[in-house]
Amino acid sequence: MIVKLSGTLLRFVGYKKEHIIGEARTITAALDSLTTTYPTLKSILYDTHGSVRGAHQLFLNGEQLLPEDMKRQLQETDCLEILTAIAGG
Amino acid sequence: MRSFLDEQVNRHVITRDQLATPIPKDIFIESAELGLFSASLSKNIGGGGLDPLSYGLLLEDLGKHSTDFSFVMLSSLFPAVANTIQETATPWMIERYLRPAVHGKCLASFAYTEGADPFSFRSSCEKKGDKYIINGEKFYVMGGMQADLFMVYVRDEKNDLLTFLIERDDDGLEIIPLTTMSGLRSVGLAGLKFNNIVLDANRILTPADGLSHVQRFLNLRRISVICGLVGKMQSIYDDLMNNLIGTTRYERPLTVMQNVQSLLGKMYVSIETSRAMLYRALEKLRDKNIEPLWDPFLTATKYHIVDQANQFMLQVFRLAGGKGYIQDQQYGRFQRDFTGLIPTVGAQDTIEVDLGVWATHNFEQRQHRKKAP
């Protein structure tokens, strides 16, 4: 499967937009795999309770995901996108 | 309301602008007595409880009649922060900060920007026993010279952003006046320095994910900040029209000349497209039909109105000629004030990028859905 990132998050993944994740059965597993490769992404993506921060919107094959969707099963051809828009004051 | 604005706000605007004097705090107490300052605050704490659409119209009207645009900005800022505090306030915070806020006696501003993206903030909190030690610096705090309370975002040891309430009189808080800005010169812009400020846990507004908290605040603030701008564009337009009708060239009023009519037409489009977007945004807010942290339409509305307002002022100068430039100081002041909205609550260029990313993403997602079985 592929994880796509954009905007502010790119800084934490070496400015690489697309990441192929080999073995990931759930969305949580895919994100865990990504944050293992890029450890500084972890505290940016997750809050201290281990939930994805509200500033990031997750989409699976075009469908926006809710927090309860994190255990959803993935297929090899799936595309997970993370969209982050953060403004200054 | 009109006599309050004329006597207390508008009368001293030129001097305040020239000297970069912050609008006095007492003005907000009077504003609260008239019901303006507290109009958007919740009825639960004694506010007017206006819905977002009604409140937006009130701010638009304020923009029309106040000649000090800094007052318009602060009149929407302080209540916006108070409303955000109320969302997660403890009973202690409500009594200490929000009930006085209804009477204009506790002005709350927010301290966020450090001249860097939020993942690079240096301001920090360190937990020692049951206390929190705050250190760092915030660069630009609107209303910082008048505020009694600051909603402050700092990093903890786990690299999470937390929100604290810091009082003006807290030991270790240094408030530095900033007076070199080109516009909004009576807004009371300040820098803040936190030098080992010791706080109890009761000052924590959000114990985790302050990033989402501030994005939620800024999302709403992008609309309250521009309501007055639409009103101000309208009042400048009316004033300009009055001058043009009263000015004759070749024995005819300027307004019958086609080049003048063309610019007036463009300016009318600026005002009405701005107003149309604003009203739709306010309706979306009233109906709670928005993305809570970053709504593309609210963001586009802020971008459009600020962009239009700044182009509009250039057109004012093209039509007002030498009289507008030499004799009438207010056009120049408003032009400078309007530039102050370019970097505020999401800089215009950042918004362009974010909307471009969002639009591309949105298109790709729609393509994805079309292909799906």
Side-chain angles (χ1 to χ4, degrees), chain A residues 6 8 11-12 43-44 47-48 53-55 57 59 61-64 79 81 83 85-89, chain B residues 112-113 117-120 159-160 209 211-212 215 218 222 291 293-294 345-346 357-358 361 365 369:
Chain A
S6 60
T8 322
R11 173 182 151 195
F12 303 99
S43 65
I44 305 298
D47 66 19
T48 47
R53 294 182 189 280
Q57 292 180 329
F59 296 83
N61 304 327
E63 180 194 348
Q64 186 162 6
C79 175
E81 285 201 52
L83 188 66
I86 287 173
Chain B
Y112 176 60
T113 301
D117 65 82
F119 303 119
S120 307
N159 204 26
D160 198 12
D209 201 10
L211 183 62
S212 296
Q215 294 307 313
L218 292 170
R222 275 191 272 281
E291 290 290 336
L293 268 66
W294 188 86
V345 289
V357 169
W358 177 84
H361 168 86
Q365 296 302 326
R369 278 196 288 268

mmCIF file of all heavy atoms in Angstrom, chain A residues 6 8 11-12 43-44 47-48 53-55 57 59 61-64 79 81 83 85-89, chain B residues 112-113 117-120 159-160 209 211-212 215 218 222 291 293-294 345-346 357-358 361 365 369:
data_model
loop_
_atom_site.group_PDB
_atom_site.id
_atom_site.type_symbol
_atom_site.label_atom_id
_atom_site.label_comp_id
_atom_site.label_asym_id
_atom_site.label_seq_id
_atom_site.Cartn_x
_atom_site.Cartn_y
_atom_site.Cartn_z
ATOM 1 N N SER A 6 1.621 15.514 2.517
ATOM 2 C CA SER A 6 1.813 16.797 1.831
ATOM 3 C C SER A 6 2.040 17.898 2.858
ATOM 4 O O SER A 6 1.873 17.691 4.055
ATOM 5 C CB SER A 6 0.591 17.124 0.971
ATOM 6 O OG SER A 6 -0.554 17.207 1.787
ATOM 7 N N THR A 8 3.095 20.593 5.478
ATOM 8 C CA THR A 8 3.982 20.707 6.636
ATOM 9 C C THR A 8 4.640 19.388 7.015
ATOM 10 O O THR A 8 5.767 19.367 7.498
ATOM 11 C CB THR A 8 3.158 21.195 7.845
ATOM 12 O OG1 THR A 8 2.213 22.152 7.402
ATOM 13 C CG2 THR A 8 4.031 21.790 8.906
ATOM 14 N N ARG A 11 8.413 17.776 5.796
ATOM 15 C CA ARG A 11 9.677 18.055 6.489
ATOM 16 C C ARG A 11 10.135 16.872 7.362
ATOM 17 O O ARG A 11 11.317 16.645 7.551
ATOM 18 C CB ARG A 11 9.450 19.303 7.342
ATOM 19 C CG ARG A 11 10.557 19.673 8.247
ATOM 20 C CD ARG A 11 10.125 20.888 9.044
ATOM 21 N NE ARG A 11 10.764 20.909 10.330
ATOM 22 C CZ ARG A 11 10.389 21.669 11.338
ATOM 23 N NH1 ARG A 11 9.380 22.484 11.192
ATOM 24 N NH2 ARG A 11 11.033 21.633 12.475
ATOM 25 N N PHE A 12 9.175 16.124 7.892
ATOM 26 C CA PHE A 12 9.517 15.057 8.835
ATOM 27 C C PHE A 12 9.723 13.692 8.160
ATOM 28 O O PHE A 12 10.007 12.710 8.829
ATOM 29 C CB PHE A 12 8.425 14.953 9.915
ATOM 30 C CG PHE A 12 8.234 16.245 10.647
ATOM 31 C CD1 PHE A 12 7.202 17.105 10.303
ATOM 32 C CD2 PHE A 12 9.121 16.628 11.647
ATOM 33 C CE1 PHE A 12 7.046 18.312 10.948
ATOM 34 C CE2 PHE A 12 8.968 17.836 12.306
ATOM 35 C CZ PHE A 12 7.931 18.688 11.949
ATOM 36 N N SER A 43 5.656 12.192 17.231
ATOM 37 C CA SER A 43 5.018 13.171 18.128
ATOM 38 C C SER A 43 4.278 14.256 17.346
ATOM 39 O O SER A 43 3.471 14.994 17.906
ATOM 40 C CB SER A 43 6.057 13.814 19.044
ATOM 41 O OG SER A 43 6.966 14.582 18.277
ATOM 42 N N ILE A 44 4.572 14.358 16.061
ATOM 43 C CA ILE A 44 3.862 15.332 15.223
ATOM 44 C C ILE A 44 2.496 14.755 14.818
ATOM 45 O O ILE A 44 1.485 15.441 14.838
ATOM 46 C CB ILE A 44 4.690 15.643 13.936
ATOM 47 C CG1 ILE A 44 6.094 16.118 14.297
ATOM 48 C CG2 ILE A 44 3.958 16.632 13.033
ATOM 49 C CD1 ILE A 44 6.175 17.381 15.091
ATOM 50 N N ASP A 47 -0.981 12.493 19.282
ATOM 51 C CA ASP A 47 -0.947 13.207 20.557
ATOM 52 C C ASP A 47 -0.412 12.273 21.638
ATOM 53 O O ASP A 47 -0.058 11.112 21.362
ATOM 54 C CB ASP A 47 -2.324 13.792 20.915
ATOM 55 C CG ASP A 47 -3.377 12.721 21.178
ATOM 56 O OD1 ASP A 47 -3.003 11.562 21.447
ATOM 57 O OD2 ASP A 47 -4.576 13.032 21.098
ATOM 58 N N THR A 48 -0.348 12.758 22.862
ATOM 59 C CA THR A 48 0.273 11.967 23.932
ATOM 60 C C THR A 48 -0.553 10.744 24.319
ATOM 61 O O THR A 48 -0.074 9.854 25.011
ATOM 62 C CB THR A 48 0.509 12.841 25.181
ATOM 63 O OG1 THR A 48 -0.685 13.571 25.443
ATOM 64 C CG2 THR A 48 1.650 13.811 24.966
ATOM 65 N N ARG A 53 -3.567 13.453 15.800
ATOM 66 C CA ARG A 53 -3.975 14.811 16.146
ATOM 67 C C ARG A 53 -5.046 15.313 15.174
ATOM 68 O O ARG A 53 -5.030 14.982 13.983
ATOM 69 C CB ARG A 53 -2.778 15.766 16.062
ATOM 70 C CG ARG A 53 -1.709 15.494 17.077
ATOM 71 C CD ARG A 53 -0.593 16.517 16.957
ATOM 72 N NE ARG A 53 0.538 16.137 17.785
ATOM 73 C CZ ARG A 53 0.607 16.343 19.098
ATOM 74 N NH1 ARG A 53 -0.388 16.937 19.715
ATOM 75 N NH2 ARG A 53 1.666 15.954 19.783
ATOM 76 N N GLY A 54 -5.915 16.159 15.702
ATOM 77 C CA GLY A 54 -7.018 16.675 14.896
ATOM 78 C C GLY A 54 -6.577 17.485 13.692
ATOM 79 O O GLY A 54 -7.340 17.653 12.739
ATOM 80 N N ALA A 55 -5.356 18.025 13.741
ATOM 81 C CA ALA A 55 -4.878 18.866 12.635
ATOM 82 C C ALA A 55 -4.616 18.050 11.367
ATOM 83 O O ALA A 55 -4.460 18.623 10.291
ATOM 84 C CB ALA A 55 -3.608 19.608 13.046
ATOM 85 N N GLN A 57 -5.901 15.256 8.637
ATOM 86 C CA GLN A 57 -7.073 14.540 8.115
ATOM 87 C C GLN A 57 -6.578 13.330 7.330
ATOM 88 O O GLN A 57 -5.666 13.456 6.506
ATOM 89 C CB GLN A 57 -7.893 15.445 7.200
ATOM 90 C CG GLN A 57 -8.559 16.580 7.956
ATOM 91 C CD GLN A 57 -9.371 17.480 7.038
ATOM 92 O OE1 GLN A 57 -9.046 17.659 5.880
ATOM 93 N NE2 GLN A 57 -10.436 18.036 7.561
ATOM 94 N N PHE A 59 -7.380 10.078 4.743
ATOM 95 C CA PHE A 59 -8.286 9.615 3.688
ATOM 96 C C PHE A 59 -7.805 8.257 3.192
ATOM 97 O O PHE A 59 -6.619 8.104 2.872
ATOM 98 C CB PHE A 59 -8.301 10.593 2.515
ATOM 99 C CG PHE A 59 -8.846 11.953 2.873
ATOM 100 C CD1 PHE A 59 -8.031 12.911 3.456
ATOM 101 C CD2 PHE A 59 -10.172 12.276 2.626
ATOM 102 C CE1 PHE A 59 -8.519 14.169 3.789
ATOM 103 C CE2 PHE A 59 -10.671 13.531 2.953
ATOM 104 C CZ PHE A 59 -9.844 14.475 3.539
ATOM 105 N N ASN A 61 -8.377 5.805 0.148
ATOM 106 C CA ASN A 61 -8.968 5.695 -1.198
ATOM 107 C C ASN A 61 -10.083 6.729 -1.402
ATOM 108 O O ASN A 61 -11.143 6.428 -1.939
ATOM 109 C CB ASN A 61 -9.518 4.286 -1.434
ATOM 110 C CG ASN A 61 -8.465 3.220 -1.225
ATOM 111 O OD1 ASN A 61 -7.286 3.447 -1.507
ATOM 112 N ND2 ASN A 61 -8.866 2.071 -0.701
ATOM 113 N N GLY A 62 -9.837 7.952 -0.929
ATOM 114 C CA GLY A 62 -10.796 9.027 -1.159
ATOM 115 C C GLY A 62 -11.829 9.204 -0.069
ATOM 116 O O GLY A 62 -12.551 10.195 -0.058
ATOM 117 N N GLU A 63 -11.896 8.255 0.841
ATOM 118 C CA GLU A 63 -12.901 8.352 1.906
ATOM 119 C C GLU A 63 -12.254 8.898 3.179
ATOM 120 O O GLU A 63 -11.233 8.376 3.640
ATOM 121 C CB GLU A 63 -13.476 6.956 2.184
ATOM 122 C CG GLU A 63 -14.518 6.925 3.274
ATOM 123 C CD GLU A 63 -14.818 5.493 3.753
ATOM 124 O OE1 GLU A 63 -14.384 4.539 3.083
ATOM 125 O OE2 GLU A 63 -15.457 5.367 4.794
ATOM 126 N N GLN A 64 -12.855 9.973 3.731
ATOM 127 C CA GLN A 64 -12.281 10.541 4.955
ATOM 128 C C GLN A 64 -12.517 9.601 6.132
ATOM 129 O O GLN A 64 -13.612 9.070 6.312
ATOM 130 C CB GLN A 64 -12.888 11.907 5.262
ATOM 131 C CG GLN A 64 -12.199 12.570 6.457
ATOM 132 C CD GLN A 64 -12.451 14.056 6.550
ATOM 133 O OE1 GLN A 64 -13.223 14.610 5.786
ATOM 134 N NE2 GLN A 64 -11.788 14.704 7.487
ATOM 135 N N CYS A 79 -4.614 3.264 -0.850
ATOM 136 C CA CYS A 79 -3.852 4.511 -0.779
ATOM 137 C C CYS A 79 -4.362 5.328 0.421
ATOM 138 O O CYS A 79 -5.540 5.694 0.477
ATOM 139 C CB CYS A 79 -4.023 5.305 -2.073
ATOM 140 S SG CYS A 79 -3.232 6.909 -1.995
ATOM 141 N N GLU A 81 -3.975 8.790 2.481
ATOM 142 C CA GLU A 81 -3.431 10.151 2.362
ATOM 143 C C GLU A 81 -3.609 10.895 3.670
ATOM 144 O O GLU A 81 -4.637 10.782 4.336
ATOM 145 C CB GLU A 81 -4.149 10.925 1.255
ATOM 146 C CG GLU A 81 -3.731 10.487 -0.121
ATOM 147 C CD GLU A 81 -4.032 11.551 -1.160
ATOM 148 O OE1 GLU A 81 -3.624 12.703 -0.969
ATOM 149 O OE2 GLU A 81 -4.698 11.202 -2.148
ATOM 150 N N LEU A 83 -3.586 14.728 5.094
ATOM 151 C CA LEU A 83 -3.641 16.132 4.690
ATOM 152 C C LEU A 83 -3.534 17.003 5.946
ATOM 153 O O LEU A 83 -4.303 16.835 6.890
ATOM 154 C CB LEU A 83 -4.964 16.411 3.967
ATOM 155 C CG LEU A 83 -5.112 17.769 3.323
ATOM 156 C CD1 LEU A 83 -4.134 17.932 2.163
ATOM 157 C CD2 LEU A 83 -6.539 17.954 2.815
ATOM 158 N N ALA A 85 -3.206 21.039 7.191
ATOM 159 C CA ALA A 85 -3.157 22.490 6.925
ATOM 160 C C ALA A 85 -3.019 23.190 8.270
ATOM 161 O O ALA A 85 -3.874 23.043 9.137
ATOM 162 C CB ALA A 85 -4.414 22.942 6.207
ATOM 163 N N ILE A 86 -1.933 23.891 8.423
ATOM 164 C CA ILE A 86 -1.665 24.551 9.706
ATOM 165 C C ILE A 86 -1.369 26.018 9.452
ATOM 166 O O ILE A 86 -0.526 26.349 8.618
ATOM 167 C CB ILE A 86 -0.478 23.879 10.423
ATOM 168 C CG1 ILE A 86 -0.934 22.523 10.943
ATOM 169 C CG2 ILE A 86 0.026 24.735 11.558
ATOM 170 C CD1 ILE A 86 0.174 21.704 11.506
ATOM 171 N N ALA A 87 -2.090 26.892 10.169
ATOM 172 C CA ALA A 87 -1.908 28.331 9.970
ATOM 173 C C ALA A 87 -1.133 28.935 11.127
ATOM 174 O O ALA A 87 -1.147 28.409 12.240
ATOM 175 C CB ALA A 87 -3.262 29.003 9.857
ATOM 176 N N GLY A 88 -0.504 30.041 10.836
ATOM 177 C CA GLY A 88 0.133 30.831 11.886
ATOM 178 C C GLY A 88 -0.863 31.817 12.448
ATOM 179 O O GLY A 88 -2.007 31.869 12.021
ATOM 180 N N GLY A 89 -0.430 32.586 13.440
ATOM 181 C CA GLY A 89 -1.347 33.507 14.096
ATOM 182 C C GLY A 89 -1.186 34.927 13.632
ATOM 183 O O GLY A 89 -1.848 35.806 14.126
ATOM 184 N N TYR B 112 0.799 33.198 20.264
ATOM 185 C CA TYR B 112 1.077 31.964 19.531
ATOM 186 C C TYR B 112 2.354 32.094 18.691
ATOM 187 O O TYR B 112 3.287 31.320 18.827
ATOM 188 C CB TYR B 112 -0.143 31.641 18.663
ATOM 189 C CG TYR B 112 -0.018 30.454 17.747
ATOM 190 C CD1 TYR B 112 0.228 29.189 18.255
ATOM 191 C CD2 TYR B 112 -0.188 30.594 16.370
ATOM 192 C CE1 TYR B 112 0.325 28.094 17.401
ATOM 193 C CE2 TYR B 112 -0.098 29.503 15.519
ATOM 194 C CZ TYR B 112 0.167 28.257 16.036
ATOM 195 O OH TYR B 112 0.260 27.177 15.198
ATOM 196 N N THR B 113 2.383 33.113 17.829
ATOM 197 C CA THR B 113 3.438 33.217 16.827
ATOM 198 C C THR B 113 4.828 33.395 17.433
ATOM 199 O O THR B 113 5.017 34.178 18.350
ATOM 200 C CB THR B 113 3.141 34.417 15.898
ATOM 201 O OG1 THR B 113 1.880 34.197 15.307
ATOM 202 C CG2 THR B 113 4.181 34.566 14.822
ATOM 203 N N ASP B 117 7.312 27.806 12.210
ATOM 204 C CA ASP B 117 6.166 26.899 12.197
ATOM 205 C C ASP B 117 5.978 26.331 13.608
ATOM 206 O O ASP B 117 6.932 26.298 14.395
ATOM 207 C CB ASP B 117 6.380 25.787 11.161
ATOM 208 C CG ASP B 117 7.540 24.902 11.522
ATOM 209 O OD1 ASP B 117 7.349 23.995 12.342
ATOM 210 O OD2 ASP B 117 8.650 25.136 10.995
ATOM 211 N N PRO B 118 4.765 25.894 13.939
ATOM 212 C CA PRO B 118 4.501 25.484 15.327
ATOM 213 C C PRO B 118 5.324 24.285 15.791
ATOM 214 O O PRO B 118 5.462 24.059 16.992
ATOM 215 C CB PRO B 118 3.009 25.149 15.322
ATOM 216 C CG PRO B 118 2.626 24.999 13.903
ATOM 217 C CD PRO B 118 3.560 25.824 13.107
ATOM 218 N N PHE B 119 5.876 23.507 14.835
ATOM 219 C CA PHE B 119 6.710 22.368 15.239
ATOM 220 C C PHE B 119 8.107 22.825 15.651
ATOM 221 O O PHE B 119 8.904 22.026 16.138
ATOM 222 C CB PHE B 119 6.799 21.354 14.096
ATOM 223 C CG PHE B 119 5.457 20.866 13.643
ATOM 224 C CD1 PHE B 119 5.024 21.076 12.346
ATOM 225 C CD2 PHE B 119 4.593 20.225 14.524
ATOM 226 C CE1 PHE B 119 3.769 20.645 11.924
ATOM 227 C CE2 PHE B 119 3.344 19.799 14.117
ATOM 228 C CZ PHE B 119 2.932 20.007 12.811
ATOM 229 N N SER B 120 8.401 24.108 15.438
ATOM 230 C CA SER B 120 9.726 24.627 15.800
ATOM 231 C C SER B 120 9.651 25.641 16.945
ATOM 232 O O SER B 120 10.610 26.360 17.187
ATOM 233 C CB SER B 120 10.358 25.303 14.574
ATOM 234 O OG SER B 120 10.360 24.441 13.464
ATOM 235 N N ASN B 159 7.220 17.136 23.619
ATOM 236 C CA ASN B 159 7.071 17.827 22.336
ATOM 237 C C ASN B 159 5.611 18.055 21.963
ATOM 238 O O ASN B 159 5.289 18.218 20.793
ATOM 239 C CB ASN B 159 7.794 17.056 21.218
ATOM 240 C CG ASN B 159 8.169 17.983 20.081
ATOM 241 O OD1 ASN B 159 8.350 19.186 20.288
ATOM 242 N ND2 ASN B 159 8.274 17.454 18.888
ATOM 243 N N ASP B 160 4.736 18.040 22.957
ATOM 244 C CA ASP B 160 3.334 18.347 22.696
ATOM 245 C C ASP B 160 3.099 19.821 23.012
ATOM 246 O O ASP B 160 3.812 20.408 23.832
ATOM 247 C CB ASP B 160 2.435 17.466 23.586
ATOM 248 C CG ASP B 160 1.008 17.413 23.056
ATOM 249 O OD1 ASP B 160 0.776 17.857 21.915
ATOM 250 O OD2 ASP B 160 0.135 16.924 23.791
ATOM 251 N N ASP B 209 -2.365 18.472 22.866
ATOM 252 C CA ASP B 209 -2.765 18.832 21.502
ATOM 253 C C ASP B 209 -3.244 20.286 21.381
ATOM 254 O O ASP B 209 -4.306 20.576 20.829
ATOM 255 C CB ASP B 209 -3.853 17.866 20.984
ATOM 256 C CG ASP B 209 -3.922 17.874 19.453
ATOM 257 O OD1 ASP B 209 -3.016 18.469 18.814
ATOM 258 O OD2 ASP B 209 -4.873 17.303 18.912
ATOM 259 N N LEU B 211 -2.048 22.213 19.420
ATOM 260 C CA LEU B 211 -2.018 22.534 17.992
ATOM 261 C C LEU B 211 -3.440 22.522 17.417
ATOM 262 O O LEU B 211 -3.841 23.439 16.701
ATOM 263 C CB LEU B 211 -1.132 21.534 17.242
ATOM 264 C CG LEU B 211 -0.961 21.801 15.753
ATOM 265 C CD1 LEU B 211 -0.298 23.137 15.488
ATOM 266 C CD2 LEU B 211 -0.154 20.690 15.095
ATOM 267 N N SER B 212 -4.191 21.487 17.756
ATOM 268 C CA SER B 212 -5.580 21.431 17.285
ATOM 269 C C SER B 212 -6.396 22.565 17.900
ATOM 270 O O SER B 212 -7.248 23.172 17.241
ATOM 271 C CB SER B 212 -6.221 20.092 17.644
ATOM 272 O OG SER B 212 -5.553 19.044 16.981
ATOM 273 N N GLN B 215 -5.624 25.775 16.068
ATOM 274 C CA GLN B 215 -6.142 25.767 14.698
ATOM 275 C C GLN B 215 -7.661 25.973 14.703
ATOM 276 O O GLN B 215 -8.204 26.628 13.818
ATOM 277 C CB GLN B 215 -5.788 24.445 13.989
ATOM 278 C CG GLN B 215 -4.299 24.251 13.769
ATOM 279 C CD GLN B 215 -3.628 25.419 13.059
ATOM 280 O OE1 GLN B 215 -4.106 25.910 12.058
ATOM 281 N NE2 GLN B 215 -2.501 25.884 13.592
ATOM 282 N N LEU B 218 -8.110 29.718 15.263
ATOM 283 C CA LEU B 218 -7.762 30.506 14.075
ATOM 284 C C LEU B 218 -8.783 30.316 12.955
ATOM 285 O O LEU B 218 -9.070 31.247 12.196
ATOM 286 C CB LEU B 218 -6.362 30.128 13.585
ATOM 287 C CG LEU B 218 -5.212 30.523 14.513
ATOM 288 C CD1 LEU B 218 -3.900 29.896 14.046
ATOM 289 C CD2 LEU B 218 -5.059 32.033 14.591
ATOM 290 N N ARG B 222 -10.539 33.679 11.518
ATOM 291 C CA ARG B 222 -10.381 34.169 10.147
ATOM 292 C C ARG B 222 -11.646 34.873 9.645
ATOM 293 O O ARG B 222 -11.584 35.683 8.743
ATOM 294 C CB ARG B 222 -9.990 33.019 9.205
ATOM 295 C CG ARG B 222 -8.489 32.757 9.200
ATOM 296 C CD ARG B 222 -8.079 31.822 8.087
ATOM 297 N NE ARG B 222 -8.161 30.436 8.481
ATOM 298 C CZ ARG B 222 -7.258 29.807 9.218
ATOM 299 N NH1 ARG B 222 -6.185 30.439 9.630
ATOM 300 N NH2 ARG B 222 -7.405 28.546 9.546
ATOM 301 N N GLU B 291 -15.635 22.574 8.565
ATOM 302 C CA GLU B 291 -14.562 21.725 9.100
ATOM 303 C C GLU B 291 -14.028 22.436 10.338
ATOM 304 O O GLU B 291 -13.678 23.625 10.259
ATOM 305 C CB GLU B 291 -13.439 21.569 8.072
ATOM 306 C CG GLU B 291 -13.797 20.743 6.860
ATOM 307 C CD GLU B 291 -13.969 19.268 7.198
ATOM 308 O OE1 GLU B 291 -13.401 18.821 8.213
ATOM 309 O OE2 GLU B 291 -14.702 18.575 6.477
ATOM 310 N N LEU B 293 -11.283 22.459 12.203
ATOM 311 C CA LEU B 293 -9.920 22.947 12.406
ATOM 312 C C LEU B 293 -9.395 23.802 11.269
ATOM 313 O O LEU B 293 -8.617 24.737 11.477
ATOM 314 C CB LEU B 293 -8.954 21.766 12.637
ATOM 315 C CG LEU B 293 -8.755 21.385 14.095
ATOM 316 C CD1 LEU B 293 -10.025 20.845 14.709
ATOM 317 C CD2 LEU B 293 -7.638 20.393 14.238
ATOM 318 N N TRP B 294 -9.762 23.472 10.080
ATOM 319 C CA TRP B 294 -9.316 24.254 8.910
ATOM 320 C C TRP B 294 -10.356 24.074 7.825
ATOM 321 O O TRP B 294 -10.385 23.051 7.158
ATOM 322 C CB TRP B 294 -7.941 23.769 8.426
ATOM 323 C CG TRP B 294 -7.356 24.647 7.364
ATOM 324 C CD1 TRP B 294 -6.606 25.773 7.569
ATOM 325 C CD2 TRP B 294 -7.471 24.479 5.947
ATOM 326 N NE1 TRP B 294 -6.261 26.322 6.360
ATOM 327 C CE2 TRP B 294 -6.768 25.556 5.346
ATOM 328 C CE3 TRP B 294 -8.095 23.557 5.119
ATOM 329 C CZ2 TRP B 294 -6.663 25.713 3.968
ATOM 330 C CZ3 TRP B 294 -8.002 23.715 3.739
ATOM 331 C CH2 TRP B 294 -7.285 24.781 3.177
ATOM 332 N N VAL B 345 -3.720 35.875 11.184
ATOM 333 C CA VAL B 345 -4.473 34.606 11.267
ATOM 334 C C VAL B 345 -4.331 33.727 10.012
ATOM 335 O O VAL B 345 -5.315 33.215 9.475
ATOM 336 C CB VAL B 345 -5.979 34.804 11.608
ATOM 337 C CG1 VAL B 345 -6.125 35.239 13.041
ATOM 338 C CG2 VAL B 345 -6.685 35.776 10.694
ATOM 339 N N GLY B 346 -3.104 33.530 9.611
ATOM 340 C CA GLY B 346 -2.817 32.776 8.391
ATOM 341 C C GLY B 346 -2.444 33.770 7.310
ATOM 342 O O GLY B 346 -3.319 34.465 6.776
ATOM 343 N N VAL B 357 -2.984 23.082 -2.141
ATOM 344 C CA VAL B 357 -2.778 21.678 -1.739
ATOM 345 C C VAL B 357 -4.132 21.017 -1.525
ATOM 346 O O VAL B 357 -4.384 19.896 -2.001
ATOM 347 C CB VAL B 357 -1.932 21.597 -0.440
ATOM 348 C CG1 VAL B 357 -1.932 20.183 0.130
ATOM 349 C CG2 VAL B 357 -0.511 22.061 -0.705
ATOM 350 N N TRP B 358 -5.017 21.730 -0.821
ATOM 351 C CA TRP B 358 -6.336 21.159 -0.529
ATOM 352 C C TRP B 358 -7.115 20.906 -1.823
ATOM 353 O O TRP B 358 -7.733 19.838 -1.989
ATOM 354 C CB TRP B 358 -7.125 22.099 0.386
ATOM 355 C CG TRP B 358 -8.518 21.577 0.655
ATOM 356 C CD1 TRP B 358 -8.882 20.669 1.606
ATOM 357 C CD2 TRP B 358 -9.699 21.877 -0.087
ATOM 358 N NE1 TRP B 358 -10.218 20.402 1.511
ATOM 359 C CE2 TRP B 358 -10.752 21.129 0.481
ATOM 360 C CE3 TRP B 358 -9.972 22.712 -1.164
ATOM 361 C CZ2 TRP B 358 -12.050 21.186 0.019
ATOM 362 C CZ3 TRP B 358 -11.278 22.770 -1.645
ATOM 363 C CH2 TRP B 358 -12.299 22.014 -1.054
ATOM 364 N N HIS B 361 -5.717 17.936 -3.688
ATOM 365 C CA HIS B 361 -6.090 16.735 -2.942
ATOM 366 C C HIS B 361 -7.566 16.406 -3.176
ATOM 367 O O HIS B 361 -7.934 15.257 -3.453
ATOM 368 C CB HIS B 361 -5.827 16.978 -1.459
ATOM 369 C CG HIS B 361 -6.428 15.957 -0.567
ATOM 370 N ND1 HIS B 361 -5.788 14.780 -0.260
ATOM 371 C CD2 HIS B 361 -7.618 15.924 0.060
ATOM 372 C CE1 HIS B 361 -6.572 14.072 0.521
ATOM 373 N NE2 HIS B 361 -7.668 14.740 0.738
ATOM 374 N N GLN B 365 -9.044 13.033 -4.845
ATOM 375 C CA GLN B 365 -9.945 12.162 -4.100
ATOM 376 C C GLN B 365 -11.223 11.886 -4.901
ATOM 377 O O GLN B 365 -11.740 10.778 -4.914
ATOM 378 C CB GLN B 365 -10.316 12.792 -2.746
ATOM 379 C CG GLN B 365 -9.152 12.976 -1.798
ATOM 380 C CD GLN B 365 -8.439 11.681 -1.500
ATOM 381 O OE1 GLN B 365 -9.047 10.627 -1.445
ATOM 382 N NE2 GLN B 365 -7.122 11.745 -1.321
ATOM 383 N N ARG B 369 -12.631 8.280 -6.178
ATOM 384 C CA ARG B 369 -13.974 7.769 -5.910
ATOM 385 C C ARG B 369 -14.666 7.332 -7.204
ATOM 386 O O ARG B 369 -15.411 6.369 -7.220
ATOM 387 C CB ARG B 369 -14.813 8.835 -5.190
ATOM 388 C CG ARG B 369 -14.529 8.871 -3.683
ATOM 389 C CD ARG B 369 -15.599 9.628 -2.936
ATOM 390 N NE ARG B 369 -15.517 11.058 -3.165
ATOM 391 C CZ ARG B 369 -14.816 11.886 -2.386
ATOM 392 N NH1 ARG B 369 -14.148 11.434 -1.351
ATOM 393 N NH2 ARG B 369 -14.782 13.172 -2.653
#
